Structure formats: C-alpha cells, structure tokens
Amino acid sequence: MGYDFDAVINRRGTFCTQWDYIEDRFGEKDLLPFSISDTDFQAPGPIREKLHEMVSHGIYGYSRWNHETYKGAIAGYFRDCHGVEISQDWVVYSPSVLYSIAVLLRLLSQAGDSVLVMQPMYDAFFRVVQENDRRLIACELVDQDGHYEIDFEDFEKKAAESQIFLLCSPHNPTGRVWTKEEMDRMMEICSRYGLPVISDEIHADVILGENRHITAASYQEKYPVYVVSSPSKTFNTPGLGGSYGLLPEKSIREAFVSRLRNQDFLNSVSLPGMYAAIAGYNQCMDYAAQLSKYVLGNMRYLKERIDGEMSDLGVRFTIPEATYLAWIDVRRVNASDEEIQKALIATGKVGIMPGKTYGGPGYLRMNLGCPRTKLADGIERMKKGLLEI
C-alpha cells in the first residue's frame, strides 16, 4: 500500500497542541510550528478503519488490555521487526511512556537516588526524574562533527555514582541509533554497577537509511532491563492514549499493575488506543517503512538547503540516524540563543524549539514529520529570521 505523505491536512481548530496552542511555547500566535513531536500525517488506513468500526459500534464501556490479542500484537511486533522473542506475560499496559518511567523509577530506586541520563535529552526526562525525588546525573554526549558519541569513561564514572540508568533509544534529540557495540558496553557497565535500565524506545520505528535499532529487549534475559514504548509516534496516534512496558521480573510487573489499578485507579484501557496499537502492529508496518523513507527525504532536503543557503550564516546540520527530529547546530551563528529565537519568532514567524530546552544550548530541534511543502516554507522563514540578526 502507498501512503501520501505530501498531503496537506489542516489541523487548526482540532485542539492540536502543535498548531492551536503554539503561543504557549513561543509567546506568539500564528507561527508555522515545528515543535512538539507528533506528525502532520494521517494515521494509516487500517487504523482509521478500525476506529470507525469501534465508533460505529456505539458502546464504549470499560475494557481490558490483559488478553492475547493486545499482548500478542506487541510480542509479534518484537519478533517480526526486531528479531526478539518476548513472553506475552511480560507485557503491561500503561497510559503513557512517561507514566511507565515514573512508576518504574519509584519501584526500582529510592527517593534521593541518582538516575543516570545522557545529555542533551528529551526535556520530560528532567521533570520525571526530579519530580519523583530522584537526582539527575548527566553524561554529556560528545558532538564529533555532528555525530554524537558516548564518552564511556565518563559514563562508567557516573554509573558508579548512580542507582538506575534511563536510556533513550533511539536518542531524542540527537537522533543517534546506538550500535550493538555501544549497547553491549552500556549494558555491561550497568550490570557491573548494579544499575537496572529503563529504555524508552518510542522512536524505534523511524530509522533512517541503513541504520539498525538494537532493542534493549534483546538483553532482558541477561540484565535487569525494562523497555517502555508505544506505537503512537510511528502512526501519529498519541491523542488516542496508551503505551506498554516489557517487565520480565514478576515482582516488578505485579507491583506495576497494582500501582496502575489500586493506587492510581487506571483500571480500564483506552479503547481507541488499544485498537490502534493492535491494527498498527498487525497491519501497518509498511507505513512505518514508508514514513522513514519520506522523513529521510525531508532530512536530505533540509541539509541541502542549509548547506547551500545558510552555511554562511553559521548554520550546520548532519542528517540523524533516526527520528523525524532535526538537531540543527547554530553555535556559529553570531547571536545568542535568545536572539536567535527572537529573530525566528518575530521576523521568521516560525516556531522551532531551542536546544537549551533539551540541555543543548546552541542548537535547534526542528520537527520534520510534515509534508515537504510545509518544510520548504519553514526553511524560508528560518532563513528570513536568521538574516535579520
């Protein structure tokens, strides 16, 4: 099946965070947004058809997630897409990936414990660690001409001071796909120092070019690893709710489900989110492949435009290995981060996230999960803003 990622669909007036509430992030209305990480693409047909069927049924009562159809779809996805056999018993439902991380932090560590993360990082990681009374220890990734690498000497030093490791794989915002050698080394170090690993793999299906995602689930038989993920980034369904965790350790799994049901009273699955996950994993992985190809085209187009029209302004860009998030280097632009944002917003009328939000000052994070016509407009606006500095 072919999918039309060039189609322009008006999202205004749908209570859309990216379009309708852009002022909340940038302080000004009517900007062209490249901010929050959802896409401007329609969910694939089989998901929409299943949702139409569900809506037409007309009864939306309390529903269960703990059954073979849901858990089997997730197990089948890991088998077919990642070559990893997982037990359906490991699968637990969760309302969101961040909810899963918050609960696992509380189950696997104590208040005041240190959580090792990589910086720059997904901005919610700052809050989920600190608001759960844990201390954040950041291992700074090293920018080697646009390719980020792990300083393993620093990583091991900080692992020795930490009680848990929170991994983002693939990495947001740099777009790194960790190699098997890197994964092996991270897991071995964490095991040596007794750190359980929580691996957020929500971007695992948007892999660009020949890169290959190594899921942390492939280490779950040997190390204490807990994978949390959702198909929502892949199929653009975050508004439907729902995610899952793979929790091999029975005591942790039972404690997680008890928290879900008996303390937070999230007893019923999001029905549309569950149907979307089942249809997505069972019928729509061709969409994920075509999405990745289209996003790679967007990345190449952005690089061509930056190299040809903005390199003299000090802008640099390296195509990432994964995600639809472009991590743009503006450290050589003759302006501060604040001045760059002011120019982009006031002159360019474009909303692109400042890198300092993710612990990476001197960068911009631009969402390229959009039709190329929107991207072309955004590039013109970005250039217009930077030319005014």
Side-chain angles (χ1 to χ4, degrees):
M1 182 184 297
Y3 300 94
D4 185 6
F5 296 103
D6 285 317
V8 176
I9 300 168
N10 183 12
R11 299 182 68 190
R12 295 190 188 276
T14 62
F15 307 105
C16 169
T17 298
Q18 184 167 183
W19 288 84
D20 290 329
Y21 297 97
I22 190 69
E23 186 178 9
D24 292 350
R25 288 183 175 238
F26 297 96
E28 190 169 321
K29 297 179 180 179
D30 300 323
L31 303 180
L32 187 66
F34 296 88
S35 52
I36 193 169
S37 56
D38 63 5
T39 75
D40 292 319
F41 306 132
Q42 277 194 334
I47 290 178
R48 302 200 310 273
E49 290 163 12
K50 192 62 185 180
L51 293 175
H52 280 301
E53 179 184 319
M54 185 205 80
V55 170
S56 297
H57 184 256
I59 299 176
Y60 322 117
Y62 295 118
S63 306
R64 297 285 182 94
W65 58 265
N66 196 359
H67 49 77
E68 194 277 336
T69 303
Y70 176 66
K71 297 195 295 184
I74 294 167
Y77 160 76
F78 276 89
R79 180 190 64 243
D80 298 339
C81 295
H82 300 296
V84 175
E85 294 288 345
I86 66 164
S87 170
Q88 290 187 29
D89 291 340
W90 297 358
V91 178
V92 296
Y93 171 81
S94 169
S96 73
V97 166
L98 266 299
Y99 175 87
S100 297
I101 293 172
V103 172
L104 287 170
L105 285 176
R106 294 194 289 269
L107 291 176
L108 298 169
S109 63
Q110 303 295 319
D113 279 354
S114 295
V115 179
L116 177 61
V117 292
M118 293 176 179
Q119 189 164 286
M121 74 188 85
Y122 173 38
D123 56 314
F125 278 12
F126 291 102
R127 299 192 301 276
V128 76
V129 171
Q130 294 165 351
E131 295 299 319
N132 280 285
D133 299 317
R134 270 65 178 170
R135 190 165 67 95
L136 187 147
I137 293 184
C139 173
E140 292 283 345
L141 294 171
V142 181
D143 185 348
Q144 299 279 17
D145 296 323
H147 180 81
Y148 278 82
E149 296 182 2
I150 301 168
D151 179 343
F152 274 103
E153 183 177 340
D154 185 55
F155 182 87
E156 182 165 357
K157 176 184 175 183
K158 288 173 177 173
E161 303 169 359
S162 304
Q163 282 73 49
I164 194 165
F165 175 40
L166 177 54
L167 173 65
C168 190
S169 178
H171 188 259
N172 173 7
T174 70
R176 271 303 316 276
V177 173
W178 309 117
T179 65
K180 186 173 189 306
E181 291 73 22
E182 288 171 320
M183 289 291 292
D184 286 349
R185 196 166 177 185
M186 284 189 281
M187 294 299 166
E188 189 278 325
I189 291 171
C190 288
S191 176
R192 196 184 329 146
Y193 292 100
L195 275 66
V197 179
I198 303 172
S199 182
D200 175 354
E201 302 190 6
I202 200 168
H203 290 282
D205 298 320
V206 188
I207 305 298
L208 308 182
E210 299 301 316
N211 298 290
R212 179 171 174 259
H213 170 68
I214 306 296
T215 176
S218 61
Y219 296 87
Q220 288 184 303
E221 297 282 6
K222 187 174 180 181
Y223 301 120
V225 176
Y226 305 88
V227 172
V228 292
S229 194
S230 168
S232 61
K233 297 289 185 190
T234 308
F235 304 120
N236 202 28
T237 58
L240 301 180
S243 74
Y244 60 85
L246 306 182
L247 313 183
E249 188 176 339
K250 184 178 179 182
S251 62
I252 297 298
R253 186 168 65 247
E254 290 178 345
F256 185 98
V257 173
S258 178
R259 174 74 189 226
L260 189 78
R261 292 175 175 169
N262 302 320
Q263 290 178 267
D264 296 335
F265 296 96
L266 297 165
N267 298 307
S268 185
V269 68
S270 163
L271 194 57
M274 180 177 66
Y275 276 127
I278 294 167
Y281 280 161
N282 285 344
Q283 298 175 259
C284 302
M285 294 314 296
D286 62 331
Y287 175 96
Q290 292 180 46
L291 169 68
S292 297
K293 184 177 180 180
Y294 189 87
V295 168
L296 179 57
N298 275 353
M299 294 289 181
R300 288 170 173 165
Y301 178 72
L302 175 64
K303 181 168 179 56
E304 178 184 337
R305 295 289 304 272
I306 286 177
D307 289 352
E309 303 169 38
M310 284 180 266
S311 61
D312 289 347
L313 302 175
V315 183
R316 301 288 186 274
F317 174 58
T318 300
I319 294 173
E321 296 168 342
T323 83
Y324 45 75
L325 304 170
W327 188 240
I328 303 169
D329 185 348
V330 291
R331 292 175 296 173
R332 298 170 184 84
V333 175
N334 188 28
S336 67
D337 287 0
E338 291 72 22
E339 289 168 334
I340 290 172
Q341 279 298 306
K342 183 177 179 181
L344 292 175
I345 294 166
T347 302
K349 299 296 181 182
V350 63
I352 304 174
M353 293 299 292
K356 68 178 182 180
T357 300
Y358 313 96
Y363 292 82
L364 299 170
R365 196 195 79 167
M366 186 177 189
N367 180 353
L368 270 57
C370 62
R372 202 151 299 152
T373 52
K374 177 191 172 187
L375 175 57
D377 188 4
I379 292 170
E380 287 295 332
R381 291 167 183 247
M382 178 169 64
K383 183 171 68 172
K384 180 180 179 181
L386 293 175
L387 284 170
E388 288 296 313
I389 293 175

